[in-house]
Amino acid sequence: MAVHPLRPGDPRAIGPLRIEGRIGQGGQGVVYLGEFPDGVRAAVKVMSGGIDRSFAKELAAARKVDEFCTARVLLADLDHDPPYVASEYIDGPALSAAGPLRGAALTRLAIGTVTALAAIHRAGVVHRDFKPGNVLLGPDGPRVIDFGIARLADATATTGHPAGTPPYMAPEQLSGGAAGPASDVFAWGSTMVFACTGRPPFGADTFAAVAYRILHAEPDLGDLPEPLRSIVARCLDKDPSRRPSARDVLLELLGEPAAEAEALSKGARAAAGPAPVRRRALLLGAGAAAAAAAVTGGLLWRARPGEGPATGRGASTSTAGAPGTGGTSQGAAPSPSTNPPSGSGAPASEPPDSGAPGSPTASPDPSGTPASDPTSEPPAENPTDLAIAVETALAVKPLADLAFDGGLDQSSFNARAAGRVRYLPGATYSGASSDFAVRMNAAEIGAADITVLWRDGADRGTYLNGRKTAKLTKDWDLYVTMLVAMASVGVVLDLVTHTSRIDRAGRRYAGGLSAAAAPSSLREALLRISGLEDDRLKDTRLVWRLELDAHNRPSLAELTWRMPIENEQLSSTFTSHYRDWRDGTIAPPQ
């Protein structure tokens, strides 16, 4: 599938690269097809938000990864505005859009991808988001991409805010532990099951169901053949200490002992072979490529294909934007990534940004539907447990009555809304996770009936006073943006999983974090409704409260945005009351 044409507002050049087209877009930014002045083509990932600069040591290690079944970084400039990373352009589909694989093709894939992991780990780097979308099937064999990018764009360290894509996350990531090489091995095992069967071993439905199975259930290996089946089973052990290393897996697949450097070379040679045929249309296009982290603090460098990384050639004079978050791949359609840290405390006051990791509690199996609606035990203050409990409860009864009240402090931008909201189970944690049908009364422009409907995250339709509109007026667009961002249950759950410490008293939960570290959908909404520049978010803070009913469904969600102005602090509050959760849908106005 051809690279997509550039859109209005897309850059025509990034650094020395001429931009030729758009490959795709994910939570970390947009990936473009670029060309250097000498004609070398590259995939250019332009990072949204900013870059956390505290991981320079690990980023420096990333550029030392040997070229064994990985896509090389050609140029990176973290001081450019916006920051970008340019990598080899790989002409081939992602594994997520090919297969299922059998026989020699599956063996080559297994050897090639674990060779890449062994090389990555030998350089002291952890991938953190290994999945089918981050494996490209090039003409010379599989290539692993995006190693290091998840942490590069994640402003909270490994133990406080792990990156990942739920069906391929390890148990320790879901329970708030550190992501290490063993986590990558677990993800590799899940990816091999997908490559053979077309589905991950713990399912790919709602986050709650997938997380429960990863933590408590045995993997479904399908018809994965031996000897790969036994190797993958060990890689999917719940205990990271019992999983083999990537090097051990590679040596076992090669069937002979060897020195590590020799094993990597043998693995790369064994992985080379024809790429499998495509199974379905590629969402982001053939030729998607890597954008791996590979620079330290203000250095700009470039490496040519076949050469080692170049040394620094000077520092950029531009500055990066505010810190952001991200975590989707470039080689396949963006997948929701969930980042659940953990903590504990008591909600007497706003908690600090970080706390001691807690332990997850066992959750009821979310795959079944209870015959009655008994009172549920309140979830622990662990972010993962809290999000799983709420999503599990809403999977059965997703529709509620809504009363919303919110706006900007010391301004006329305020509104109230009353009507219905429906959570869409399995949707990405974002504003696209809830349908709305409300009567909104805006202080500046009056009242209107608003209906917002979504399907699989794509806008199904916005209705103003019963009439579908392709584009709202600027004023109504800002009010609807506020409603969707502040009252969507998915945004609330996303905020929960971004918070490193949660305080709890009974069924009341509270947390706080820098606005610059908030979910991207919430950051974008705050910037739009306030008119602030992106770099101002780092000076502001979000504090939230969540109250659950006896069945772990939200009854109140309150978000306060605190902004220091000279010697004052403005506090803008957005409050959503939910009641009478039930089954049902929201239909378009007739």
Side-chain angles (χ1 to χ4, degrees):
M1 183 176 181
V3 175
H4 301 294
L6 293 174
R7 301 176 184 175
D10 282 339
R12 269 40 184 183
I14 295 288
L17 293 115
R18 180 169 59 88
I19 301 302
E20 297 182 344
R22 173 185 277 249
I23 294 175
Q25 182 170 5
Q28 298 166 352
V30 182
V31 184
Y32 298 101
L33 175 62
E35 184 175 294
F36 287 101
D38 57 7
V40 174
R41 304 177 94 188
V44 186
K45 174 170 270 192
V46 178
M47 312 295 289
S48 60
I51 295 297
D52 178 17
R53 313 205 63 92
S54 65
F55 304 117
K57 183 176 180 181
E58 181 169 338
L59 300 186
R63 71 173 178 176
K64 298 177 182 177
V65 173
D66 292 316
E67 190 179 354
F68 294 111
C69 304
T70 61
R72 291 182 53 88
V73 174
L74 306 178
L75 175 68
D77 188 355
L78 299 193
D79 282 335
H80 189 273
D81 187 11
Y84 69 92
V85 184
S87 301
E88 282 185 89
Y89 179 79
I90 306 300
D91 187 12
L95 175 61
S96 55
L101 308 182
R102 293 289 188 272
L106 180 61
T107 301
R108 284 195 298 268
L109 176 77
I111 292 174
T113 51
V114 82
T115 297
L117 272 187
I120 292 167
H121 294 168
R122 189 170 73 158
V125 178
V126 179
H127 192 296
R128 293 181 180 83
D129 196 19
F130 190 95
K131 59 185 177 182
N134 278 339
V135 176
L136 300 183
L137 304 177
D140 57 348
R143 301 284 196 97
V144 173
I145 67 171
D146 265 10
F147 51 92
I149 285 287
R151 181 143 183 194
L152 173 62
D154 182 4
T156 60
T158 316
T159 55
H161 194 342
T165 301
Y168 303 94
M169 290 173 71
E172 60 270 20
Q173 291 175 279
L174 290 171
S175 58
S183 306
D184 287 347
V185 169
F186 188 96
W188 176 86
S190 296
T191 299
M192 292 306 101
V193 175
F194 173 88
C196 177
T197 67
R199 61 183 185 275
F202 300 99
D205 45 339
T206 68
F207 168 69
V210 170
Y212 175 86
R213 296 186 198 109
I214 290 174
L215 291 167
H216 305 292
E218 293 301 313
D220 179 4
L221 302 183
D223 57 353
L224 188 67
E226 294 289 1
L228 188 58
R229 185 184 187 91
S230 297
I231 296 173
V232 166
R234 297 199 307 275
C235 293
L236 296 178
D237 197 298
K238 307 293 185 195
D239 184 349
S241 67
R242 293 200 295 260
R243 296 174 207 147
S245 68
R247 176 183 179 274
D248 290 340
V249 171
L250 173 58
L251 293 177
E252 188 168 352
L253 287 172
L254 292 175
E256 57 181 294
E260 185 166 6
E262 181 184 355
L264 293 177
S265 297
K266 285 187 175 182
R269 291 196 300 270
V277 297
R278 302 182 187 185
R279 178 175 61 189
R280 56 184 182 270
L282 298 183
L283 297 179
L284 297 187
V295 299
T296 61
L299 292 180
L300 167 67
W301 59 269
R302 179 181 177 188
R304 299 295 185 90
E307 299 175 352
T311 58
R313 301 190 180 188
S316 170
T317 57
S318 60
T319 57
T325 61
T328 61
S329 75
Q330 304 162 20
S335 303
S337 287
T338 307
N339 306 302
S342 64
S344 60
S349 61
E350 180 194 337
D353 278 340
S354 61
S359 299
T361 59
S363 303
D365 187 346
S367 59
T369 301
S372 58
D373 198 14
T375 299
S376 303
E377 286 294 322
E381 57 270 25
N382 178 289
T384 305
D385 291 336
L386 179 55
I388 289 175
V390 173
E391 188 171 9
T392 300
L394 296 184
V396 179
K397 295 186 176 181
L399 182 70
D401 294 329
L402 169 70
F404 171 82
D405 186 357
L408 299 179
D409 191 23
Q410 296 188 6
S411 80
S412 58
F413 185 81
N414 291 276
R416 293 184 176 183
R420 294 170 296 146
V421 60
R422 182 178 187 270
Y423 177 62
L424 305 176
T428 304
Y429 283 174
S430 69
S433 65
S434 300
D435 288 344
F436 292 89
V438 300
R439 177 74 172 176
M440 177 174 274
N441 194 326
E444 296 176 315
I445 53 178
D449 294 324
I450 303 292
T451 302
V452 180
L453 303 175
W454 304 87
R455 180 187 292 119
D456 297 333
D459 193 352
R460 195 175 83 193
T462 301
Y463 297 79
L464 181 65
N465 291 324
R467 299 185 62 180
K468 188 173 183 178
T469 175
K471 186 175 183 180
L472 291 167
T473 64
K474 180 179 179 181
D475 289 338
W476 275 117
D477 183 53
L478 292 177
Y479 280 106
V480 171
T481 295
M482 175 176 67
L483 173 72
V484 170
M486 307 303 172
S488 291
V489 177
V491 174
V492 175
L493 296 181
D494 205 3
L495 193 58
V496 166
T497 61
H498 276 71
T499 303
S500 59
R501 175 171 173 168
I502 295 178
D503 288 347
R504 171 191 166 203
R507 295 183 181 275
R508 299 191 300 274
Y509 301 80
L513 71 167
S514 166
S520 59
S521 58
L522 193 52
R523 296 198 312 269
E524 291 166 5
L526 291 173
L527 293 174
R528 289 191 63 193
I529 66 177
S530 67
L532 284 181
E533 296 295 329
D534 190 32
D535 61 356
R536 290 290 306 281
L537 280 184
K538 67 180 184 297
D539 300 322
T540 71
R541 186 165 181 79
L542 291 169
V543 179
W544 58 266
R545 289 196 303 128
L546 176 64
E547 295 183 8
L548 305 182
D549 64 17
H551 313 293
N552 291 336
R553 301 179 188 114
S555 58
L556 176 143
E558 181 181 272
L559 176 64
T560 301
W561 186 27
R562 297 177 178 174
M563 178 187 304
I565 301 292
E566 295 180 351
N567 295 325
E568 297 184 40
Q569 180 166 266
L570 302 183
S571 294
S572 300
T573 301
F574 310 87
T575 305
S576 300
H577 291 273
Y578 309 92
R579 65 179 180 86
D580 191 19
W581 287 99
R582 57 198 183 273
D583 194 13
T585 61
I586 295 177
Q590 299 298 320

